[in-house]
Amino acid sequence: MAKYRCETCDYIYDPAQGDPDSGIASGTSFEDLPDDWECPVCGVGKDEFVKEG
């Protein structure tokens, strides 16, 4: 699964790790994140992320 980078703060969403602080289990692809999920570092929405690699 692809990693995604926040264009605002450079946080990397890694599906292998998920976002446990936000209740997102490991193995959750970026596409399967809820539409209202926000960057855990700076709070921007999914539309501010770009696919890495």
Side-chain angles (χ1 to χ4, degrees):
M1 284 187 275
K3 296 179 183 179
Y4 284 75
R5 179 180 53 84
C6 176
E7 291 188 300
T8 302
C9 72
D10 289 330
Y11 167 80
I12 301 291
Y13 176 76
D14 182 352
Q17 295 179 356
D19 181 11
D21 292 340
S22 297
I24 306 298
S26 60
T28 303
S29 70
F30 187 80
E31 294 82 1
D32 289 337
L33 291 172
D35 289 337
D36 62 350
W37 180 82
E38 297 176 339
C39 177
V41 175
C42 70
V44 300
K46 288 175 63 175
D47 59 333
E48 297 293 323
F49 280 73
V50 293
K51 189 174 185 176
E52 287 287 284

